[in-house]
Amino acid sequence: MDTRDWPIRAKLTALVVTPVAALLALWIFATTLTFGPALDLLAARTLLYDLGRPGEVVVTELQRERRLSVVQLAGSAALPALADQRRRTDAAIAALRDRVGGDKLRDAADDLLDARLDKLVAALDALPAGRGFIDRRQVDRAGAVGLYSGMISFAFQAFSAMAALPDPELNREALALTALGRSRDLLGQADALVAGALAGGRFSDGEHLLLAQTIGNERFLVDTAVADLPPEARSAYQRLTEDPAFVQLRTLQEGLLRADPAARPPVDARSWQTSHDAVQQALRDFELSQADGLAERSVPVAVGILVRLALAGLLGLAAIVVSLLVAVRVGRTLARRLTGVRSAALEMAERRLPDVVARLRRGEQVDVAREAPPLEYGADEIGEVGRAFNEVRRTAVRAAVDEVSLRRGLNEVFLNIARRSQGLVHRQLALLDRMERRTEDPDELAELFRVDHLATRLRRHAEDLVILAGAAPGRGWRQPVAVLDVVRGAVSEVEAYDRVDIGAVQPAGVVGRAVADVIHLLAELIENATAYSPPETRVEVSGQQVPRGYVVEITDHGLGMTPQAVENANRRLARPPEFDPADSARLGLFVVSRLAARHGVRVTLRSEAPGGVTAVVLVPSDLVTEEPPAAPVNTGRPASVVTRLATRPRAGRPGRDRAEQTVLPFAPARISSVEAAPDGDGLPRRVRRRGPVARPRPQVAEAPAARSPEEVRRQMSALQAGTARGRRDGAIRSVPPGRPDGAVPAPTGGRTEGRGGDPAPSPPPGATAATPDSPTATERDA
């Protein structure tokens, strides 16, 4: 039986119940052993009066019938006295049967006495058959003596079974009285043999020898029984044997033993009969008086045993009660103290310590002594365990304080590094902006745009550190921004932006307070999609309005994720975990989950068939508004509206130039490095111009002159044709050796299991473009 998982209370109960139950069983066993002999002593009276007295009457009547039966067998005629005696014998046997068949005697008798009573009843049942043999003279005198002596022997066996008293003195006296009864029966057997010999004139063959054996056995039993009698009874028996009848009977026996077996017995029949009857009656009276005294003495002994039993039982029961009370009290005290230690441990582990950590993370001050007060558990071993637990509690709280302080310091380090990096990146972007303004060479301008794009990505990674530190990025918008511009802004912060196809995006707007975080969130998911899919595949972005908000779907066509990985990722996205520096391979998921939790955005991943993953971003309704009107564009570049355009042609994909352009809104402090000219779709286009030194910036009239539709169409067509030529020339100049087809290779990136990382794949050497790699148009703040 394994008890390791038992509760403390159950174990203590088992420790208490087991010895108490054993003590109770021992008490019951001892009480039963003592109570049984007391009941036996009390039952001795019942056995004496329900079996001893009726049995003794039956034995006496059988002895008389035996003598008359032998006398009848010695003569030739039937004796009238034998018939009368048989009636008296039958009456005594009937009375004995009534007592033996009663419940009172059977309840007082043990198993041995029950068996011997059954044998006695069976022997008495054979008496009518024996009488028939005697009446038909089918047995001799010795056979008749043996018939009745056998029945009487069964009676004495039952008397011997009665002598099973628990008191040794009483039991020895009872056995001595039984032996005296047997000796008296042997005396009756000798009387029957002598009466038959006197009636027949002589002893038959073997009768004299049988007489001698019977007298010898009778004397032996008398000597043995008298020796076991108490002194008073022994003295009384000695006085009894000095009676003249005993002396005369002994003298007659001696004469019979010395006489010739073939001659007539040398005794007078009347003298023999008189002395024998007197001795028989005297012995019977002695036995009955001693039996009555024995029964009377057994009652006080039984009462004394019962008194001692009661005292011992009460003391034992009191000891059991005291043991039980002490065990219950000690067990309850131990259980309460151990339960107190357990409750304190559980409270510390489940409530206090998490509460302390939560308060520390909220920036509250925590007093270790107040949060882990010392608890008193006594001076024993449990008290030592309690004191050790107090030290563990204080150490745990102190460790929690130190850990949270360390994390807070680590977050401050992250935030400090991020803020410094952000400042440097913003200065770098401002410097790049000025350099782009002064640059005339298209190739140098393209390289500056690549550096501009890398700086934009670097700014996003710096914002990741700010998010890991638990702070909010500094960028922000005051006015709503179109969802399409938000998506384009996210695409512009991805290295492999040229692999991203912006599909159908239903018109809508995002409130200004969430624009920066939504752009960052989408950029992380789009970069994961490009990094975890083969470089020759496309990443598709689409958006539509739903009843609960706005849904943006980002789908790649890679190898996909296992169901378990998708489930784990969705669980992390739904419930942002605490940042663990050891789990640095999943920073992308952590940043996305933090940004989503900040605004209530729901991000879910699902597998696509035959391969790939779709990231579903649900922007809640409170962050979605009507799409704002498009800002006017002019060459004067007012501070309120500025746009930037990123266009990268793909070889072998003619007619896709305009569909693959990215336009982003950004901060008023950042001015475009090129002139902005309107296009047919309402989006501005970069127009290369000479440097500010070579040619002053043209002034834009306050009110442009009205133009006809045909003139506007011709101007726009010329602008588009020139832009397309410039892109083709730039693409041809940037083709790496070994690529005669003029195709520009896309950035590559490996794919690993899971999507939680934040890889930054680099383009292969020589994969430069004539146009900007990542024209950034997002709004930047310090």
Side-chain angles (χ1 to χ4, degrees), residues 84-288:
D84 295 337
Q85 181 60 44
R86 285 178 177 178
R87 286 192 292 272
R88 289 192 294 272
T89 302
D90 291 339
I93 291 174
L96 178 64
R97 287 181 184 274
D98 293 339
R99 297 297 181 91
V100 171
D103 294 336
K104 187 176 180 180
L105 177 61
R106 290 292 183 174
D107 292 339
D110 57 5
D111 296 338
L112 177 63
L113 182 57
D114 278 337
R116 292 188 176 182
L117 288 177
D118 293 337
K119 291 181 179 179
L120 175 59
V121 172
L124 294 176
D125 291 339
L127 180 59
R131 289 172 176 174
F133 289 127
I134 293 173
D135 292 342
R136 294 190 297 272
R137 298 182 180 274
Q138 293 178 345
V139 294
D140 56 5
R141 291 176 296 185
V145 172
L147 174 65
Y148 286 97
S149 298
M151 296 179 188
I152 296 172
S153 177
F154 281 115
F156 279 106
Q157 289 179 7
F159 297 158
S160 299
M162 289 171 53
L165 302 177
D167 186 79
E169 295 295 333
L170 296 178
N171 191 61
R172 184 164 54 251
E173 183 177 356
L175 291 175
L177 292 177
T178 303
L180 285 177
R182 286 181 178 272
S183 68
R184 186 164 59 86
D185 178 63
L186 291 174
L187 184 61
Q189 293 183 28
D191 173 63
L193 291 174
V194 172
L198 290 175
R202 69 180 190 86
F203 289 103
S204 62
D205 294 339
E207 285 186 348
H208 190 271
L209 178 60
L210 181 60
L211 176 65
Q213 292 176 348
T214 301
I215 294 175
N217 291 337
E218 180 263 334
R219 293 178 179 180
F220 173 78
L221 284 176
V222 167
D223 294 339
T224 304
V226 170
D228 289 335
L229 289 175
E232 296 83 2
R234 191 163 53 248
S235 298
Y237 187 81
Q238 188 66 31
R239 290 192 297 270
L240 183 65
T241 58
E242 294 175 356
D243 188 78
F246 271 86
V247 176
Q248 184 180 5
L249 181 62
R250 179 65 61 91
T251 302
L252 294 176
Q253 287 178 346
E254 294 294 336
L256 289 173
L257 293 175
R258 291 192 299 268
D260 184 7
R264 181 179 176 83
V267 295
D268 180 61
R270 183 176 295 275
S271 299
W272 173 265
Q273 185 68 36
T274 303
S275 61
H276 175 267
D277 291 343
V279 170
Q280 279 280 1
Q281 188 62 40
L283 289 176
R284 183 183 179 192
D285 293 340
F286 177 81
E287 292 174 13
L288 291 177

Side-chain angles (χ1 to χ4, degrees), residues 516-736:
D517 290 340
V518 173
I519 290 176
H520 196 149
L521 185 150
L522 294 177
E524 292 287 347
L525 295 175
I526 293 173
E527 187 164 37
N528 277 353
T530 59
Y532 292 111
S533 62
E536 67 274 4
T537 60
R538 310 294 299 171
V539 175
E540 301 170 358
V541 182
S542 61
Q544 60 178 342
Q545 202 151 6
V546 294
R548 292 185 297 172
Y550 197 93
V551 172
V552 178
E553 294 186 354
I554 303 168
T555 303
D556 66 69
H557 300 284
L559 297 178
M561 300 171 62
T562 62
Q564 184 64 33
V566 171
E567 181 180 356
N568 292 337
N570 286 330
R571 184 168 55 251
R572 293 169 63 92
L573 290 171
R575 293 183 297 274
E578 292 293 332
F579 172 60
D580 186 5
D583 192 12
S584 59
R586 296 292 182 266
L587 291 182
L589 280 182
F590 179 79
V591 171
V592 171
S593 60
R594 277 286 183 89
L595 293 173
R598 183 178 300 168
H599 299 286
V601 177
R602 183 177 178 183
V603 181
T604 307
L605 303 181
R606 69 167 183 258
S607 299
E608 298 291 340
V613 174
T614 295
V616 181
V617 180
L618 175 61
V619 182
S621 301
D622 57 343
L623 300 181
V624 180
T625 183
E626 296 293 333
E627 185 177 43
V633 180
N634 56 54
T635 56
R637 297 183 304 280
S640 60
V641 179
V642 182
T643 58
R644 298 186 64 193
L645 172 65
T647 304
R648 184 168 185 173
R650 296 181 181 83
R653 296 173 61 88
R656 295 292 303 272
D657 292 2
R658 295 177 57 192
E660 295 168 356
Q661 295 166 351
T662 304
V663 179
L664 306 174
F666 60 96
R670 184 80 187 275
I671 308 300
S672 176
S673 61
V674 295
E675 297 291 345
D679 197 1
D681 56 0
L683 299 177
R685 293 288 181 267
R686 286 190 180 276
V687 180
R688 297 192 183 278
R689 61 177 178 80
R690 299 182 183 275
V693 178
R695 188 180 64 186
R697 183 179 300 171
Q699 298 294 329
V700 180
E702 292 295 333
R707 301 177 183 177
S708 63
E710 291 78 6
E711 184 178 359
V712 173
R713 182 177 58 80
R714 286 195 301 271
Q715 290 178 355
M716 296 303 297
S717 298
L719 178 60
Q720 291 179 359
T723 302
R725 273 197 311 276
R727 292 173 180 168
R728 286 196 298 272
D729 294 341
I732 292 173
R733 287 193 301 270
S734 62
V735 172

Side-chain angles (χ1 to χ4, degrees), residues 371-409:
E371 295 299 332
L375 301 178
E376 294 297 332
Y377 295 101
D380 58 354
E381 290 80 359
I382 298 179
E384 294 177 359
V385 174
R387 288 190 292 274
F389 175 68
N390 288 332
E391 293 298 326
V392 171
R393 293 172 62 209
R394 284 192 291 270
T395 303
V397 174
R398 192 179 300 112
V401 173
D402 295 341
E403 180 183 357
V404 173
S405 300
L406 178 62
R407 288 201 174 198
R408 187 182 301 161

Side-chain angles (χ1 to χ4, degrees), residues 55-66:
E56 192 276 333
V57 173
V58 170
V59 169
T60 302
E61 298 300 334
L62 287 175
Q63 289 172 349
R64 292 171 180 172
E65 184 177 340
R66 176 179 58 190

